[in-house]
Amino acid sequence: MGNRFFAWCASLLLALILLPVQAQAADQVAIISAEPAQLKVGNRAIITFQATLLGETPAARAQRAEVVIREILDGSADGRVSVDAIQDSYLVLLGDRRAFIVSPQDLGATDADVKQAAEAAAQRLRQVVEESGQARSVRFLLIAAGLSCAATLLYLLLLKCTGWLHQKALSWLPKRMRKHTSALRIGQTPLMDTSNLYPLVRRLLALLRWTLVALLTYEWLTFVLQRFPYTRPWGESLNKYLISLLRYVLDGMIAAIPGLMIAVLIFFLARGFSAFSKRLLERLSRPGTISWLNQETLQPTTRLTALAIWLFALAMAYPYLPGAGTEAFKGLSVLIGLMISLGASSVVGQAAAGLILTYTRTLRPGEFVRIGEHEGTVTEVGMFTTSIRTGLGEVLTLPNSMITGSVTKNYSRVVQGQGYVVDTTVTIGYDTPWRQVEAMLLEAARRTPGVVEAPAPQVFQTALSDFYPEYRLVAQAVPSEPRPRAELLTVLHANIQDVFNEYGVQIMSPHYLADPEQEKRVPPERWYTAPASKQHKDEQP
């Protein structure tokens, strides 16, 4: 006891002599900067030195403290840890020897903070002393090994139970799904198809199983590592990491609740405004209210209005969405904007052309039109494309930008009532009376089924060329007839040939140059030359 007291007095006297010199040097000369060094004993970090003290760098201080602590732990000296204050620093003693000094330069903080850091380092040193004793205890190590074995057996049992529950769920799930999906029917049609739903549920069960396996493995490893002194810091770090991760997730979820509530409120308001605008537009589309808003333009106008409302709501709610201020969200926004700017020019052009066609009512479904070299019945006018059905069994999909950039002939818009216009052109020589030509063309139109009598067909002389006049027959057809325009024109052209042959007039289409030596016409007795046969549809009533 006396030797320990004299040794402690000597250390204290030496520190009292050296510390004023150190304080004076700190005031006059800057502390030599060096890399921080961590004092680590028994795989446990005690403190990190950051300042040069008494001419020793942080690395030298950490090495000296580690040597002193190991000497004391390996020997039979007293392992008590205490803290003594020396001016503005704190001396951490292990037994009667100085382990290390905690100075303000190590923390750059006030005296109270330095004292707390010294007490925390002393507490960690006490834990190192305790673990050092446990590592030398055979009884403690045997107990730790037994607990680890028991934890391992429990871990394997839980893994087996997890696999058993997974198999039971896979065998039980199809029966329950078939039972419930059979009840969800509209008439004899099931609302859900188990063949498509079962793989998804099976993958979700597999994901749940492997998540449980990962959590069990993590907890088993944490428990086993904490049983042994040397690996205990690793187990504690794993446990702290899991707790901090869960705390981070929960804090993020709780912090996101106010923003989510505001975003949901904005979306509910947008939904209400969208429904109100729909009812308002339906009321404004009544006849006599707004000329451009009718039943044809009501649906696209409603969609555009709803789209504008939802885009505005999304822009307002974006700052309140979780993660909106993160770099990931910013990068995603930049990527989406770049994709839209590079690839959406044609899409925007097509959409604008679709809006022009819709609001100018250039085309309507059911009308017969000619767009460039394509003609047929309009089946759908979409936002980006328009579909027409030809008389040859084809369905053409035309870009809206092409339609707005070309001349469109509408054969259905100017007719009286339902139907469409059919027309054809012939050229006849000047030696044939024009009155006879007009009468024959009108007779051919009357013989054609589907051509209506009111309004009556008309014949126009569209040109007086050098060798022939040009006659154009214009008539109206009824769309309820079960034939497209191409078939009706075929029958009309056949009747024109028959009528002209009956009256002995030759058709010099498309160009009349001179009279041939023999007339180019077909007498009635040659109309049904083999293999042709007389058909009922060609007979005149």
Side-chain angles (χ1 to χ4, degrees):
M1 183 68 182
N3 293 333
R4 182 182 302 174
F5 176 76
F6 285 118
W8 181 82
C9 291
S11 299
L12 181 61
L13 181 61
L14 179 61
L16 291 175
I17 294 174
L18 293 178
L19 280 177
V21 178
Q22 177 192 357
Q24 183 178 1
D27 294 337
Q28 296 178 357
V29 182
I31 300 296
I32 301 174
S33 60
E35 291 294 331
Q38 187 180 57
L39 174 59
K40 198 171 185 179
V41 180
N43 203 27
R44 184 177 295 278
I46 299 176
I47 192 173
T48 300
F49 298 118
Q50 298 183 6
T52 300
L53 186 64
L54 299 176
E56 291 183 343
T57 62
R61 294 172 61 192
Q63 183 178 5
R64 176 192 173 281
E66 182 179 0
V67 170
V68 172
I69 294 172
R70 290 190 180 277
E71 288 180 356
I72 298 174
L73 294 179
D74 292 339
S76 58
D78 186 8
R80 291 182 297 104
V81 179
S82 58
V83 178
D84 286 340
I86 303 177
Q87 293 188 358
D88 57 351
S89 299
Y90 290 87
L91 184 67
V92 179
L93 300 174
L94 181 57
D96 56 357
R97 296 186 61 181
R98 174 171 62 93
F100 52 86
I101 298 176
V102 181
S103 66
Q105 289 78 12
D106 290 325
L107 303 175
T110 60
D111 293 343
D113 295 332
V114 175
K115 182 178 180 181
Q116 293 178 1
E119 293 291 346
Q123 181 61 34
R124 288 189 287 269
L125 183 57
R126 294 187 186 97
Q127 193 171 1
V128 169
V129 173
E130 181 181 359
E131 291 174 351
S132 177
Q134 293 174 353
R136 294 183 177 88
S137 174
V138 178
R139 180 175 177 274
F140 181 84
L141 295 178
L142 290 176
I143 294 175
L147 293 175
S148 299
C149 292
T152 303
L153 292 176
L154 180 61
Y155 166 70
L156 296 176
L157 180 61
L158 290 176
L159 289 183
K160 188 174 181 179
C161 291
T162 303
W164 179 79
L165 290 175
H166 181 257
Q167 294 298 327
K168 281 292 184 180
L170 290 179
S171 61
W172 170 80
L173 184 63
K175 300 178 182 178
R176 302 296 297 177
M177 290 178 61
R178 283 193 294 268
K179 179 179 178 181
H180 289 286
T181 53
S182 61
L184 298 175
R185 291 177 178 270
I186 298 180
Q188 297 298 325
T189 304
L191 295 179
M192 300 178 63
D193 188 1
T194 56
S195 61
N196 296 328
L197 186 60
Y198 179 72
L200 175 62
V201 178
R202 185 177 60 184
R203 289 185 176 89
L204 290 177
L205 287 177
L207 178 62
L208 178 61
R209 176 195 176 187
W210 287 112
T211 303
L212 290 176
V213 169
L215 288 175
L216 290 174
T217 304
Y218 195 94
E219 289 298 327
W220 167 79
L221 184 60
T222 301
F223 180 82
V224 171
L225 291 178
Q226 287 182 339
R227 297 310 98 197
F228 300 94
Y230 186 79
T231 59
R232 188 174 297 163
W234 297 341
E236 292 173 353
S237 62
L238 289 177
N239 199 19
K240 290 178 181 178
Y241 176 76
L242 182 61
I243 294 175
S244 61
L245 180 62
L246 293 176
R247 183 179 299 172
Y248 174 78
V249 173
L250 292 176
D251 290 343
M253 293 174 62
I254 295 174
I257 289 177
L260 282 176
M261 293 180 63
I262 296 176
V264 170
L265 178 61
I266 292 174
F267 289 139
F268 268 111
L269 291 175
R271 183 181 178 183
F273 278 112
S274 179
F276 173 76
S277 65
K278 181 179 179 180
R279 291 192 295 269
L280 179 62
L281 291 174
E282 288 177 353
R283 182 171 299 179
L284 294 177
S285 65
R286 296 174 181 175
T289 306
I290 299 179
S291 59
W292 59 269
L293 188 61
N294 49 36
Q295 294 300 322
E296 297 179 5
T297 59
L298 175 61
Q299 184 176 4
T301 304
T302 303
R303 291 180 179 177
L304 290 175
T305 305
L307 178 62
I309 292 174
W310 283 106
L311 287 178
F312 180 76
L314 181 62
M316 294 295 294
Y318 177 81
Y320 300 101
L321 295 177
T326 61
E327 296 297 329
F329 250 82
K330 294 178 182 178
L332 182 62
S333 302
V334 172
L335 178 61
I336 293 176
L338 183 62
M339 293 173 61
I340 293 176
S341 61
L342 292 179
S345 57
S346 61
V347 176
V348 173
Q350 298 291 350
L355 292 177
I356 293 173
L357 293 178
T358 300
Y359 286 99
T360 58
R361 288 174 284 178
T362 304
L363 304 175
R364 295 175 184 172
E367 294 181 339
F368 195 94
V369 298
R370 182 176 181 85
I371 303 170
E373 59 182 7
H374 309 290
E375 67 176 23
T377 303
V378 179
T379 58
E380 181 184 0
V381 180
M383 179 65 71
F384 304 103
T385 58
T386 297
S387 300
I388 62 174
R389 184 180 64 251
T390 66
L392 304 176
E394 302 170 335
V395 176
L396 305 180
T397 302
L398 306 178
N400 288 334
S401 59
M402 189 197 80
I403 299 175
T404 55
S406 60
V407 177
T408 300
K409 295 181 179 180
N410 196 320
Y411 295 99
S412 302
R413 188 63 60 85
V414 296
V415 300
Q416 296 180 8
Q418 293 185 346
Y420 52 83
V421 173
V422 291
D423 63 332
T424 187
T425 302
V426 295
T427 55
I428 309 298
Y430 281 104
D431 55 345
T432 303
W434 63 267
R435 294 177 180 85
Q436 182 185 14
V437 176
E438 288 188 4
M440 289 187 292
L441 290 174
L442 294 176
E443 176 65 22
R446 282 192 293 269
R447 293 183 183 183
T448 304
V451 176
V452 298
E453 296 181 358
Q458 292 180 289
V459 178
F460 300 93
Q461 296 188 38
T462 57
L464 297 175
S465 301
D466 293 338
F467 303 101
Y468 54 83
E470 183 178 279
Y471 300 90
R472 184 174 183 180
L473 172 63
V474 180
Q476 180 176 339
V478 179
S480 60
E481 290 291 328
R483 55 164 57 99
R485 188 172 184 270
E487 288 187 24
L488 192 140
L489 282 175
T490 299
V491 177
L492 178 62
H493 291 160
N495 289 330
I496 290 174
Q497 295 181 65
D498 290 345
V499 172
F500 274 65
N501 285 325
E502 288 178 6
Y503 291 98
V505 177
Q506 59 181 340
I507 301 175
M508 303 299 292
S509 288
H511 297 292
Y512 179 97
L513 297 178
D515 292 327
E517 295 180 359
Q518 296 181 356
E519 293 184 354
K520 301 299 182 181
R521 63 185 182 85
V522 182
E525 60 269 14
R526 293 176 54 196
W527 285 3
Y528 302 103
T529 304
S533 61
K534 191 173 183 180
Q535 299 180 3
H536 177 71
K537 69 177 183 177
D538 294 330
E539 294 181 355
Q540 303 303 323

